[in-house]
PDB file of all heavy atoms in Angstrom:
ATOM      1  N   VAL P 265      -7.507  -5.083  -3.296  1.00 98.00           N
ATOM      2  CA  VAL P 265      -7.390  -3.659  -2.973  1.00 98.00           C
ATOM      3  C   VAL P 265      -7.717  -3.424  -1.502  1.00 98.00           C
ATOM      4  O   VAL P 265      -7.056  -2.625  -0.817  1.00 98.00           O
ATOM      5  CB  VAL P 265      -8.314  -2.825  -3.874  1.00 98.00           C
ATOM      6  CG1 VAL P 265      -8.296  -1.364  -3.473  1.00 98.00           C
ATOM      7  CG2 VAL P 265      -7.905  -2.987  -5.334  1.00 98.00           C
ATOM      8  N   SER P 266      -8.697  -4.141  -1.004  1.00 98.00           N
ATOM      9  CA  SER P 266      -9.063  -3.996   0.403  1.00 98.00           C
ATOM     10  C   SER P 266      -7.878  -4.339   1.296  1.00 98.00           C
ATOM     11  O   SER P 266      -7.644  -3.704   2.321  1.00 98.00           O
ATOM     12  CB  SER P 266     -10.242  -4.907   0.714  1.00 98.00           C
ATOM     13  OG  SER P 266     -10.651  -4.744   2.048  1.00 98.00           O
ATOM     14  N   LYS P 267      -7.112  -5.341   0.891  1.00 98.00           N
ATOM     15  CA  LYS P 267      -5.938  -5.704   1.685  1.00 98.00           C
ATOM     16  C   LYS P 267      -4.861  -4.633   1.613  1.00 98.00           C
ATOM     17  O   LYS P 267      -4.185  -4.352   2.595  1.00 98.00           O
ATOM     18  CB  LYS P 267      -5.373  -7.043   1.218  1.00 98.00           C
ATOM     19  CG  LYS P 267      -6.158  -8.203   1.765  1.00 98.00           C
ATOM     20  CD  LYS P 267      -5.505  -9.516   1.394  1.00 98.00           C
ATOM     21  CE  LYS P 267      -6.393 -10.664   1.837  1.00 98.00           C
ATOM     22  NZ  LYS P 267      -5.863 -11.964   1.380  1.00 98.00           N
ATOM     23  N   HIS P 268      -4.714  -4.046   0.442  1.00 98.00           N
ATOM     24  CA  HIS P 268      -3.747  -2.949   0.328  1.00 98.00           C
ATOM     25  C   HIS P 268      -4.155  -1.813   1.268  1.00 98.00           C
ATOM     26  O   HIS P 268      -3.319  -1.212   1.940  1.00 98.00           O
ATOM     27  CB  HIS P 268      -3.685  -2.444  -1.112  1.00 98.00           C
ATOM     28  CG  HIS P 268      -2.874  -3.309  -2.014  1.00 98.00           C
ATOM     29  ND1 HIS P 268      -1.554  -3.626  -1.748  1.00 98.00           N
ATOM     30  CD2 HIS P 268      -3.168  -3.929  -3.178  1.00 98.00           C
ATOM     31  CE1 HIS P 268      -1.086  -4.404  -2.712  1.00 98.00           C
ATOM     32  NE2 HIS P 268      -2.048  -4.605  -3.591  1.00 98.00           N
ATOM     33  N   LEU P 269      -5.447  -1.545   1.300  1.00 98.00           N
ATOM     34  CA  LEU P 269      -5.934  -0.478   2.180  1.00 98.00           C
ATOM     35  C   LEU P 269      -5.689  -0.846   3.642  1.00 98.00           C
ATOM     36  O   LEU P 269      -5.360   0.013   4.460  1.00 98.00           O
ATOM     37  CB  LEU P 269      -7.425  -0.235   1.928  1.00 98.00           C
ATOM     38  CG  LEU P 269      -7.736   0.423   0.579  1.00 98.00           C
ATOM     39  CD1 LEU P 269      -9.221   0.394   0.279  1.00 98.00           C
ATOM     40  CD2 LEU P 269      -7.235   1.868   0.585  1.00 98.00           C
ATOM     41  N   ALA P 270      -5.808  -2.129   3.945  1.00 98.00           N
ATOM     42  CA  ALA P 270      -5.556  -2.572   5.324  1.00 98.00           C
ATOM     43  C   ALA P 270      -4.099  -2.316   5.704  1.00 98.00           C
ATOM     44  O   ALA P 270      -3.799  -1.923   6.833  1.00 98.00           O
ATOM     45  CB  ALA P 270      -5.899  -4.053   5.459  1.00 98.00           C
ATOM     46  N   VAL P 271      -3.197  -2.549   4.744  1.00 98.00           N
ATOM     47  CA  VAL P 271      -1.778  -2.292   5.010  1.00 98.00           C
ATOM     48  C   VAL P 271      -1.560  -0.819   5.307  1.00 98.00           C
ATOM     49  O   VAL P 271      -0.895  -0.450   6.284  1.00 98.00           O
ATOM     50  CB  VAL P 271      -0.908  -2.720   3.804  1.00 98.00           C
ATOM     51  CG1 VAL P 271       0.521  -2.245   3.973  1.00 98.00           C
ATOM     52  CG2 VAL P 271      -0.959  -4.217   3.612  1.00 98.00           C
ATOM     53  N   LEU P 272      -2.143   0.030   4.477  1.00 98.00           N
ATOM     54  CA  LEU P 272      -1.964   1.468   4.672  1.00 98.00           C
ATOM     55  C   LEU P 272      -2.588   1.927   5.991  1.00 98.00           C
ATOM     56  O   LEU P 272      -2.045   2.800   6.671  1.00 98.00           O
ATOM     57  CB  LEU P 272      -2.585   2.232   3.491  1.00 98.00           C
ATOM     58  CG  LEU P 272      -1.902   1.983   2.131  1.00 98.00           C
ATOM     59  CD1 LEU P 272      -2.663   2.677   1.018  1.00 98.00           C
ATOM     60  CD2 LEU P 272      -0.454   2.461   2.168  1.00 98.00           C
ATOM     61  N   ARG P 273      -3.688   1.312   6.355  1.00 97.00           N
ATOM     62  CA  ARG P 273      -4.328   1.637   7.627  1.00 97.00           C
ATOM     63  C   ARG P 273      -3.430   1.209   8.789  1.00 97.00           C
ATOM     64  O   ARG P 273      -3.227   1.960   9.739  1.00 97.00           O
ATOM     65  CB  ARG P 273      -5.670   0.898   7.737  1.00 97.00           C
ATOM     66  CG  ARG P 273      -6.882   1.783   7.664  1.00 97.00           C
ATOM     67  CD  ARG P 273      -8.140   0.983   7.919  1.00 97.00           C
ATOM     68  NE  ARG P 273      -8.428   0.041   6.843  1.00 97.00           N
ATOM     69  CZ  ARG P 273      -8.669  -1.246   7.006  1.00 97.00           C
ATOM     70  NH1 ARG P 273      -8.672  -1.785   8.209  1.00 97.00           N
ATOM     71  NH2 ARG P 273      -8.921  -2.014   5.964  1.00 97.00           N
ATOM     72  N   ALA P 274      -2.901  -0.001   8.673  1.00 96.00           N
ATOM     73  CA  ALA P 274      -2.063  -0.529   9.755  1.00 96.00           C
ATOM     74  C   ALA P 274      -0.862   0.363  10.019  1.00 96.00           C
ATOM     75  O   ALA P 274      -0.323   0.390  11.120  1.00 96.00           O
ATOM     76  CB  ALA P 274      -1.612  -1.945   9.407  1.00 96.00           C
ATOM     77  N   HIS P 275      -0.426   1.077   8.982  1.00 96.00           N
ATOM     78  CA  HIS P 275       0.728   1.952   9.149  1.00 96.00           C
ATOM     79  C   HIS P 275       0.322   3.402   9.370  1.00 96.00           C
ATOM     80  O   HIS P 275       1.163   4.297   9.285  1.00 96.00           O
ATOM     81  CB  HIS P 275       1.649   1.845   7.927  1.00 96.00           C
ATOM     82  CG  HIS P 275       2.402   0.554   7.889  1.00 96.00           C
ATOM     83  ND1 HIS P 275       1.867  -0.596   7.388  1.00 96.00           N
ATOM     84  CD2 HIS P 275       3.647   0.235   8.331  1.00 96.00           C
ATOM     85  CE1 HIS P 275       2.753  -1.575   7.499  1.00 96.00           C
ATOM     86  NE2 HIS P 275       3.832  -1.107   8.065  1.00 96.00           N
ATOM     87  N   ASP P 276      -0.953   3.593   9.634  1.00 95.00           N
ATOM     88  CA  ASP P 276      -1.462   4.951   9.893  1.00 95.00           C
ATOM     89  C   ASP P 276      -1.152   5.912   8.767  1.00 95.00           C
ATOM     90  O   ASP P 276      -0.901   7.101   8.995  1.00 95.00           O
ATOM     91  CB  ASP P 276      -0.893   5.498  11.211  1.00 95.00           C
ATOM     92  CG  ASP P 276      -1.456   4.764  12.414  1.00 95.00           C
ATOM     93  OD1 ASP P 276      -2.645   4.427  12.383  1.00 95.00           O
ATOM     94  OD2 ASP P 276      -0.702   4.532  13.373  1.00 95.00           O
ATOM     95  N   ILE P 277      -1.155   5.400   7.557  1.00 97.00           N
ATOM     96  CA  ILE P 277      -0.922   6.257   6.401  1.00 97.00           C
ATOM     97  C   ILE P 277      -2.258   6.781   5.880  1.00 97.00           C
ATOM     98  O   ILE P 277      -2.345   7.876   5.365  1.00 97.00           O
ATOM     99  CB  ILE P 277      -0.158   5.474   5.310  1.00 97.00           C
ATOM    100  CG1 ILE P 277       1.261   5.173   5.803  1.00 97.00           C
ATOM    101  CG2 ILE P 277      -0.119   6.248   3.999  1.00 97.00           C
ATOM    102  CD1 ILE P 277       2.033   4.221   4.944  1.00 97.00           C
ATOM    103  N   VAL P 278      -3.308   5.973   6.053  1.00 97.00           N
ATOM    104  CA  VAL P 278      -4.657   6.427   5.683  1.00 97.00           C
ATOM    105  C   VAL P 278      -5.592   6.171   6.849  1.00 97.00           C
ATOM    106  O   VAL P 278      -5.276   5.409   7.765  1.00 97.00           O
ATOM    107  CB  VAL P 278      -5.180   5.672   4.443  1.00 97.00           C
ATOM    108  CG1 VAL P 278      -4.234   5.831   3.268  1.00 97.00           C
ATOM    109  CG2 VAL P 278      -5.414   4.208   4.755  1.00 97.00           C
TER     110      VAL P 278
END
Side-chain angles (χ1 to χ4, degrees):
Chain P
V265 175
S266 183
K267 281 185 186 174
H268 281 304
L269 290 169
V271 170
L272 295 175
R273 249 186 292 128
H275 287 83
D276 291 322
I277 292 170
V278 303

